[in-house]
Amino acid sequence: MMDDRVRGPAAFGDAFARRGGRVVLASRAMQQRLNAASVAVPTELIPLPIEFDRYTPSFTNSESDDRWRQVLGDRPLPDGVRILGPRPRTELVAIQQHVALTLYPSRFPEMFCLAVAESTAAGAPVITSPLDALAERVENGRTGFLIEGDIDQAATQHAFAQAAIELLTHPARRSAMASAGRAAARELSPERVAGAWEALIG
């Protein structure tokens, strides 16, 4: 199962469940989608892998400019804010390891969320919405913060800002969350995920 749609797993179950076939899920949120749709199919939970070893403790373009204008209109960037835009993978990994935290407000039905998993591997506590698998990637108060509410509402935006201020002004707490996040992300290493697949198909 690759996303929040259940038609594929249902069809797979009809064809292969009686012969021992199993649907592999990347998150508990996927299982909840199957349950809500009354799709009874054998499943196995195997998360997506994170290249954990690339995250060791240690640019603007027209597309991102257009996105900024969609969000804030013609207002200029605030002082100290830069838009980096899309970056090559190796450069992105380096950037992720130099940020203090990751803000990830969402309204999308995330079924795993590599971006948040990679942020925790990089040691950046994540402040995000508690939607679907995002609540699996972040342990509230331990590896980051889960902020309830509609991100389009001022109160929710204020809560995100307050959580960011809390971490930016309390480096010891931010450091503790970073360490806890890296420890959790280690469970998603390619070696562990590959081992789970080998155990399933071996």
Side-chain angles (χ1 to χ4, degrees):
M1 185 170 172
M2 296 301 294
D3 51 35
D4 61 326
R5 291 170 290 185
V6 301
R7 215 168 73 185
F12 178 89
D14 291 342
F16 299 107
R18 275 176 262 171
R19 297 190 321 199
R22 307 185 78 149
V23 173
V24 177
L25 312 175
S27 66
R28 293 186 300 276
M30 290 181 173
Q31 183 68 64
Q32 292 166 359
R33 290 297 169 107
L34 291 174
N35 295 345
S38 299
V39 174
V41 59
T43 61
E44 185 79 20
L45 178 62
I46 301 178
L48 300 180
I50 301 299
E51 297 173 282
F52 185 82
D53 291 339
R54 295 185 74 166
Y55 295 95
T56 56
S58 48
F59 343 106
T60 303
N61 64 26
S62 61
E63 181 183 347
S64 55
D65 286 345
D66 288 345
R67 180 62 182 143
W68 175 262
R69 281 193 288 273
Q70 288 173 12
V71 174
L72 292 179
D74 292 326
R75 285 180 284 179
L77 285 171
D79 290 342
V81 174
R82 288 187 303 146
I83 298 176
L84 299 180
R87 286 301 198 237
R89 178 75 180 142
T90 53
E91 192 175 338
L92 175 62
V93 170
I95 291 168
Q96 287 172 313
Q97 292 180 102
H98 286 90
V99 302
L101 53 86
T102 297
L103 287 169
Y104 198 89
S106 180
R107 62 178 67 86
F108 183 75
E110 296 280 6
M111 292 291 105
F112 184 82
C113 197
L114 277 170
V116 168
E118 289 174 348
S119 289
T120 57
V126 178
I127 303 170
T128 189
S129 310
L131 300 176
D132 297 305
L134 289 172
E136 298 173 41
R137 300 283 76 80
V138 174
E139 185 177 342
N140 190 42
R142 184 170 175 269
T143 65
F145 291 117
L146 297 171
I147 307 297
E148 298 279 354
D150 181 349
I151 191 55
D152 292 319
Q153 298 298 314
T156 307
Q157 295 167 5
H158 179 74
F160 266 87
Q162 288 301 113
I165 291 168
E166 165 70 17
L167 291 183
L168 292 173
T169 56
H170 294 85
R173 184 169 194 193
R174 188 172 73 244
S175 178
M177 284 188 169
S179 296
R182 280 184 52 76
R186 192 177 292 277
E187 298 298 315
L188 304 175
S189 71
E191 294 79 12
R192 289 180 186 240
V193 173
W197 276 101
E198 288 172 352
L200 176 64
I201 64 179

